[in-house]
Amino acid sequence: MKDVMILTGAGQIGMAIARRMGYGMKIVVGDKNLKNVQAIVKIMNDAGFDAVPVEMDLSSRESIMNLIAEAQKYGEISMLVNAAGVSPSQAPIEAILKVDLYGTAVLLEEVGKVIKKGGVGVTISSQSGWRMPALTAEEDELLATTPAEELLHLPLLQAENIRDTLHAYQMAKRCNEKRVMAEAVKWGKRGARINAIAPGIIVTPLAIDEFNGPRGDFYKNMFANCPAGRPGTADEVANVAELLMSDKGAFITGSTFLIDSGATASYFYGPLAPEK
């Protein structure tokens, strides 16, 4: 039996983190697209890792529970890397809320019930959650603590209150970060930690979809006018994950780390600020 890492989302960011942290472990990789997950697993196994593919749908509690059960066949779950999700150009409002918001809440909740003592998790949020105007304290608490099965019934998440897919995505990512805070309290009772990383524009296939989508010019302008003047790489996200998931991050839990080349700073106080 080995310590087990669950990786959801067979993409560049998740794989970069898994390659940084998953040596010597069994890595159970879940993704809705079986071909994608098989390709990622092959790359990892050809590099000496021990990974297995599992077809899973983050929008389904049953699928999430099946993934956890599959992981437990190999040993105790000691790491979670949740990098699954859909972007505003890839899915309608309902799917974004079901996958990015509800699915992430279920995953953090259920892994938190079985995570090994000393275990750690990271979930990938987004800079988008930082652009949305502040919610009320009551709304934040509802996003943080409402039982996962009731989340999608909250008034603030109903169709009449969600403007478009970008707003749905921002709300999902705000919820992710609030859930991490609340779950950190529960994970702490098991001697485990959970944090979030909110990347800016990272060059991945998903980002390239965005560059070529309806908001492509917006995104290209964003990285051109942020302090770093460029998009990021998956390995730079993994640098932060390595800190959070290693012993060097032992005092860090319930936090979200913004890694966006200063784009959010520029949005509020620089050339990316919207016209008033």
Side-chain angles (χ1 to χ4, degrees):
M1 302 291 275
K2 287 186 174 183
D3 277 357
V4 181
M5 170 191 284
I6 290 179
L7 166 61
T8 62
Q12 295 299 313
I13 291 176
M15 181 169 67
I17 297 171
R19 287 173 68 108
R20 195 71 63 88
M21 300 303 300
Y23 38 82
M25 303 178 73
K26 191 76 176 185
I27 305 171
V28 178
V29 190
D31 194 275
K32 191 173 183 180
N33 187 317
L34 189 57
K35 286 185 178 178
N36 284 354
V37 71
Q38 288 170 337
I40 290 291
V41 163
K42 184 178 187 311
I43 291 168
M44 295 195 67
N45 287 342
D46 285 350
F49 291 89
D50 182 8
V52 292
V54 178
E55 190 173 2
M56 65 85 65
D57 179 357
L58 191 62
S59 71
S60 161
R61 173 178 283 275
E62 181 183 9
S63 188
I64 290 168
M65 297 306 292
N66 288 342
L67 177 72
I68 292 170
E70 184 65 25
Q72 289 177 310
K73 292 177 182 177
Y74 300 101
E76 285 190 282
I77 298 167
S78 63
M79 287 189 180
L80 169 68
V81 178
N82 176 36
V86 291
S87 77
S89 295
Q90 290 179 318
I93 289 171
E94 183 180 359
I96 290 169
L97 294 178
K98 194 84 188 288
V99 175
D100 292 3
L101 189 148
Y102 164 79
T104 296
V106 172
L107 183 67
L108 299 186
E109 184 179 286
E110 294 298 335
V111 172
K113 294 175 182 177
V114 297
I115 191 78
K116 182 179 178 180
K117 180 177 175 61
V120 290
V122 293
T123 188
I124 302 301
S125 181
S126 168
Q127 63 175 351
S128 274
W130 297 59
R131 304 271 167 82
M132 197 172 64
L135 300 175
T136 66
E138 182 185 17
E139 288 171 330
D140 276 341
E141 185 171 353
L142 287 170
L143 290 178
T145 62
T146 297
E149 293 306 317
E150 298 171 24
L151 266 173
L152 296 178
H153 301 298
L154 290 176
L156 78 165
L157 299 179
Q158 299 315 298
E160 62 270 19
N161 295 321
I162 302 291
R163 293 186 300 276
D164 53 26
T165 58
L166 179 60
H167 186 211
Y169 186 73
Q170 289 175 330
M171 190 67 79
K173 297 306 180 179
R174 181 71 63 86
C175 180
N176 293 168
E177 295 171 12
K178 296 300 176 184
R179 297 302 284 194
V180 161
M181 293 178 75
E183 284 295 332
V185 179
K186 299 175 186 176
W187 283 46
K189 293 175 182 175
R190 297 182 64 87
R193 301 183 293 109
I194 177 74
N195 291 291
I197 299 173
I201 297 176
I202 307 297
V203 179
T204 65
L206 185 148
I208 291 168
D209 278 351
E210 292 292 340
F211 296 158
N212 295 322
R215 281 181 289 275
D217 289 343
F218 170 80
Y219 287 108
K220 290 170 186 173
N221 179 62
M222 186 187 300
F223 67 71
N225 284 289
C226 65
R230 64 171 177 87
T233 65
D235 286 277
E236 288 174 301
V237 180
N239 289 340
V240 177
E242 184 175 19
L243 165 65
L244 296 177
M245 299 181 79
S246 71
D247 290 344
K248 291 181 179 178
F251 199 54
I252 307 171
T253 192
S255 294
T256 297
F257 283 69
L258 181 64
I259 165 174
D260 72 342
S261 72
T264 300
S266 186
Y267 177 84
F268 284 106
Y269 309 116
L272 291 176
E275 293 183 10
K276 296 179 181 178

